[in-house]
Amino acid sequence: MCGIAGSISRQPMKKQYGNALRSILHRGPDAQGDYETTLHNRNIWLGHTRLSILDLSSAGAQPMHSRSKRWTVVFNGEIYNHLKLRKEIDCEFRGHSDTESLVETIDRWGIERTLPKLNGMYAFAALDHHKKRLYLVRDPYGIKPLYYALRADTFLFGSEMRVLRSLGFPAELDENALQTFLTLRYTPSPQTLLKGIHRLEPGHMMIVDLESMRQMRKSYSLPQKSRFIGMQSVATRCYQNELQKAVKRQLLSDVPVGILLSGGIDSALIAAMAKELGHPLTGFTVGFGAAHRECEIGDAEHTAQILGIPHRSIIVDPQKLWDSLPQIVSTVEEPLGTTSIMPMWYLVQRAREEVTVVLTGQGSDEPWGGYRRYQQERLRSYIPENVWGSLRHLPTSERLPTFLKRGLKSIPIRNTIIRLLQTYTLFDLEERRMLTGDTSSGEAQERIAYWLAWQSQEGLSITERQLRIDARMNLSDDLLLYGDKISMAFSLEARVPMLDIELMEFVESLPLDYKIRLGKGKIVHKEMAESYLPREIVHRKKKGFQVPFGDWCRGIWKDRVRDILFDPQGIHLLYLDRKGLEKIWAEHQRSDRGRSLFSLLMFALWCRQYLSATTSDSLAP
């Protein structure tokens, strides 16, 4: 796990290179390195900061050149099957790092043939000295982020947006992206809230021709087309085998490994399998104390006791969470409407005191249908078409849960893209008009349409398509994005076994009824877990790593949040209408608009940090 940076420019920007590496030193405190060359009269610079996980020796240092000298790579992530790849290319290696496996595999097979063979989480840049091209690549589920920008004939890229800003790129709000954010509570790739700065989509690569500076972006990750045709009992046994192999692959490390242990099924299952493989992992849990229904410490302690594994916990109070917000906003770099980023900040700090790598249970809800929104689409499939229209006129109370109101509004919509958009919507069309004077959903509708078209496969239900969209859109650019940024802020590598590429190929091949039915989700997943865990854990009510933000906004945080949202000097008020904010604030005092308010709070804090600083409009060397 590391940080990468780079630039292609007419003139060297040597003064900024050091700043760029220092800006991501937290991602790689063990070593730093860079490489500079000239191709087609353009200066190419590649930088790297290293967190040593595999091959702690200098043989794993980057940037790394292939033995033939044709390729130079800077790499962030882990290739879990790299030892298998080594056997296939039969090369004389200098060390045992996965970076060396990657660069030599690319040298032997080329980029196009190598990418489908990789199983891992990664973002990397590969410079082809012969064809004079630079390739940027992001893994199929977007576990590792990768940003890029082009300005004034200068191309920049990095693991975090701060790299591009340290190389001189200005911070300017993209107001179309703001509409996307208000619609979805995050901005899907390739869009970010900063104009001109883009995030590479999951499973995509970008090719930059060094002579013309022409950029071509394309998907290299193909949708799963094979279909599992066995009985459910057979699927359960096969799934067990595939998850066992995934966990074993992701235990590979030359440094200590732990697990972020929630009170739910997913991390408990991974911990049980790791112990079965001879790796009893220490579990780490964060909570707010037993007085809060959202606290998972008691449930996690129970799980750890049953599994017989060491367990550590940390309790955070509202004051500590409030104090951390500015740092969190700075670290994540993009406002997100997900309250779990706050306890995550303290959880990874506690884990880093003992380990350098953690496994997490993230990533199972999307492919297995673990969220309530999937039930809406399944329910719709049972409702006769002539009934849909009548549902449009059902009254909805302000006091109804937000998810239920969204569901009732979405079911009657015939157009698939618009219906899914309504399912995901945080602020609806009228609320966006109220907040910005613009009803546009930004690029939200376009991104849903893109991932629907990417599947281009007959025979898939809308629910199956939605599962695949969510695994590559909101998962990668919301939950995994903050997971990467916050864990790496403390030089901790977070791995996601549930998104192991070979495992996901199997899961996405399963019939929908093996995943979700009316009133049930994660069917085979839970059925298999019962062979490792007591039913009370497998079927324990999901708490979802939530924070009681809504309650606090009507109580102990009420004045603080209000002071930020309605600060007359707040830069966010240049983009959001005060009366619109007041209406949503008033609604929350009567019902629950906690997620909406948290998104607005994060945007206000983000504006304060990212749009108030004076930035240069040039990329002067």
Side-chain angles (χ1 to χ4, degrees):
M1 192 69 66
C2 307
I4 64 174
S7 68
I8 305 170
S9 57
R10 287 292 186 186
Q11 299 294 328
M13 301 188 295
K14 293 184 181 294
K15 292 181 181 178
Q16 286 103 321
Y17 295 157
N19 293 335
L21 287 183
R22 282 190 291 274
S23 74
I24 52 171
L25 195 59
H26 52 278
R27 298 188 72 93
D30 296 331
Q32 298 78 49
D34 65 352
Y35 169 74
E36 196 173 357
T37 190
T38 301
L39 293 171
H40 271 312
N41 296 318
R42 297 188 187 275
N43 183 265
I44 294 94
W45 174 75
L46 302 176
H48 185 262
T49 62
R50 184 183 183 194
L51 177 63
S52 301
I53 303 294
L54 295 176
D55 193 346
L56 311 186
S57 73
S58 59
Q62 299 184 44
M64 187 176 290
H65 309 281
S66 62
R67 294 174 64 86
S68 71
K69 306 301 182 186
R70 174 176 175 174
W71 293 90
T72 303
V73 164
V74 283
F75 170 75
N76 167 36
E78 300 290 345
I79 306 296
Y80 301 121
N81 65 335
H82 81 102
L83 295 177
K84 178 182 177 182
L85 295 177
R86 286 187 172 214
K87 294 177 182 178
E88 293 185 33
I89 62 174
D90 190 26
C91 173
E92 185 178 338
F93 291 93
R94 294 157 287 185
H96 64 274
S97 74
D98 53 347
T99 306
E100 187 179 7
S101 303
L102 175 66
V103 72
E104 296 300 344
T105 302
I106 292 173
D107 187 70
R108 178 68 59 88
W109 292 330
I111 287 275
E112 301 279 358
R113 287 183 57 201
T114 295
L115 292 178
K117 296 178 180 289
L118 301 180
N119 186 346
M121 55 178 188
Y122 48 84
F124 67 85
L127 177 63
D128 185 343
H129 294 262
H130 290 187
K131 290 189 176 181
K132 298 179 176 55
R133 292 176 178 173
L134 179 74
Y135 296 82
L136 300 182
V137 181
R138 189 180 181 196
D139 69 71
Y141 296 99
I143 303 171
K144 299 287 102 189
L146 184 55
Y147 296 89
Y148 63 92
L150 177 67
R151 180 179 170 86
D153 201 32
T154 298
F155 183 83
L156 311 171
F157 71 88
S159 294
E160 298 183 7
M161 290 200 293
R162 67 190 75 249
V163 169
L164 282 61
R165 297 182 66 208
S166 68
L167 290 169
F169 203 92
E172 180 182 355
L173 179 71
D174 183 335
E175 294 192 45
N176 183 51
L178 173 58
Q179 295 298 124
T180 309
F181 171 72
L182 292 175
T183 304
L184 298 175
R185 83 169 194 269
Y186 68 98
T187 51
S189 302
Q191 196 177 44
T192 73
L193 271 180
L194 290 181
K195 187 177 292 185
I197 294 182
H198 306 284
R199 197 187 317 105
L200 192 61
E201 299 101 315
H204 282 63
M205 69 173 166
M206 170 169 281
I207 306 167
V208 183
D209 183 271
L210 300 180
E211 181 176 13
S212 65
M213 290 298 288
R214 187 173 68 89
Q215 304 156 53
M216 182 178 71
R217 199 174 80 244
K218 65 177 184 177
S219 170
Y220 69 84
S221 179
L222 299 177
Q224 176 61 257
K225 292 188 175 180
S226 65
R227 306 293 283 172
F228 183 88
I229 57 173
M231 296 174 61
Q232 183 174 314
S233 59
V234 177
T236 302
R237 290 196 299 273
C238 291
Y239 175 55
Q240 179 180 11
N241 182 56
E242 292 296 332
L243 184 56
Q244 285 172 333
K245 290 190 292 185
V247 171
K248 183 177 181 178
R249 279 191 288 266
Q250 299 201 21
L251 286 168
L252 182 66
S253 174
D254 292 335
V255 294
V257 181
I259 185 163
L260 302 186
L261 189 66
S262 72
I265 174 181
D266 303 322
S267 57
L269 179 56
I270 291 170
M273 285 191 164
K275 184 180 180 183
E276 182 183 58
L277 290 165
H279 296 270
L281 305 176
T282 299
F284 299 91
T285 310
V286 65
F288 317 106
H292 294 276
R293 64 181 182 276
E294 295 88 351
C295 185
E296 296 193 83
I297 290 178
D299 290 341
E301 286 177 343
H302 176 235
T303 298
Q305 184 178 23
I306 286 175
L307 295 179
I309 61 173
H311 184 247
R312 315 280 187 262
S313 63
I314 178 172
I315 295 177
V316 292
D317 57 43
Q319 185 61 48
K320 288 179 71 174
L321 292 176
W322 183 265
D323 291 343
S324 69
L325 272 176
Q327 291 174 285
I328 291 171
V329 170
S330 174
T331 296
V332 179
E333 302 186 297
E334 303 179 59
L336 299 172
T338 306
T339 60
S340 52
I341 62 178
M342 291 189 286
M344 184 72 164
W345 180 259
Y346 290 97
L347 176 59
V348 297
Q349 288 184 64
R350 178 62 186 89
R352 189 61 177 92
E353 293 175 7
E354 296 188 40
V355 298
T356 310
V357 175
V358 289
L359 305 188
T360 80
Q362 186 67 272
S364 76
D365 286 311
E366 290 78 6
W368 283 105
Y371 294 132
R372 287 177 294 205
R373 62 175 174 263
Y374 306 127
Q375 292 291 329
Q376 296 165 197
E377 196 63 43
R378 290 248 72 183
L379 176 62
R380 189 179 190 275
S381 68
Y382 290 99
I383 298 175
E385 188 171 344
N386 61 355
V387 178
W388 296 345
S390 63
L391 295 177
R392 196 184 301 271
H393 305 293
L394 284 176
T396 57
S397 166
E398 188 179 278
R399 295 186 178 275
L400 279 178
T402 303
F403 80 90
L404 189 53
K405 286 190 287 188
R406 282 201 307 254
L408 290 173
K409 287 183 178 180
S410 69
I411 286 177
I413 300 173
R414 295 176 183 275
N415 182 285
T416 300
I417 296 171
I418 303 299
R419 186 168 70 255
L420 291 180
L421 178 65
Q422 177 60 51
T423 300
Y424 299 134
T425 293
L426 178 66
F427 294 104
D428 65 23
L429 182 148
E430 288 304 321
E431 290 174 331
R432 295 195 297 272
R433 187 204 305 274
M434 181 177 67
L435 287 168
T436 67
D438 185 355
T439 61
S440 165
S441 64
E443 290 190 6
Q445 185 173 325
E446 177 183 327
R447 299 320 300 166
I448 294 170
Y450 175 84
W451 286 109
L452 275 174
W454 169 81
Q455 298 181 52
S456 63
Q457 184 177 350
E458 295 182 2
L460 287 180
S461 68
I462 299 302
T463 307
E464 288 175 285
R465 293 173 185 269
Q466 187 180 11
L467 298 180
R468 295 185 179 197
I469 290 172
D470 289 1
R472 294 161 178 85
M473 200 170 81
N474 79 302
L475 179 59
S476 64
D477 293 327
D478 180 6
L479 305 179
L480 292 173
L481 185 69
Y482 85 70
D484 170 84
K485 298 282 187 69
I486 291 180
S487 61
M488 290 307 296
F490 300 98
S491 307
L492 180 74
E493 174 173 296
R495 297 179 178 178
V496 195
M498 294 295 180
L499 294 178
D500 178 274
I501 293 172
E502 291 181 30
L503 173 67
M504 281 293 289
E505 287 175 353
F506 172 77
V507 173
E508 292 194 333
S509 76
L510 293 175
L512 182 61
D513 280 348
Y514 289 5
K515 304 173 190 177
I516 177 172
R517 300 176 197 139
L518 280 181
K520 294 182 178 180
K522 305 172 79 166
I523 294 169
V524 162
H525 179 68
K526 291 181 177 180
E527 183 177 291
M528 188 274 285
E530 288 183 357
S531 61
Y532 287 87
L533 304 165
R535 286 182 57 84
E536 60 190 292
I537 294 178
V538 173
H539 300 282
R540 182 181 282 156
K541 186 176 180 180
K542 184 181 180 67
K543 292 184 178 178
F545 201 34
Q546 294 299 308
V547 174
F549 178 81
D551 293 341
W552 292 348
C553 272
R554 287 186 291 268
I556 55 176
W557 281 8
K558 183 176 180 179
D559 292 342
R560 298 177 180 185
V561 174
R562 182 172 53 200
D563 288 348
I564 292 174
L565 290 181
F566 302 108
D567 177 7
Q569 306 302 316
I571 295 174
H572 64 287
L573 293 180
L574 296 174
Y575 307 102
L576 299 178
D577 184 82
R578 183 185 179 94
K579 290 183 178 179
L581 291 176
E582 288 173 346
K583 186 174 187 299
I584 291 166
W585 177 260
E587 285 180 7
H588 180 70
Q589 304 314 309
R590 299 189 301 269
S591 56
D592 184 15
R593 295 298 301 270
R595 180 169 289 186
S596 302
L597 281 181
F598 185 75
S599 300
L600 294 170
L601 175 66
M602 294 300 283
F603 177 69
L605 291 172
W606 179 84
C607 286
R608 179 184 290 182
Q609 291 193 24
Y610 279 80
L611 302 183
S612 61
T614 301
T615 54
S616 171
D617 285 334
S618 66
L619 284 168

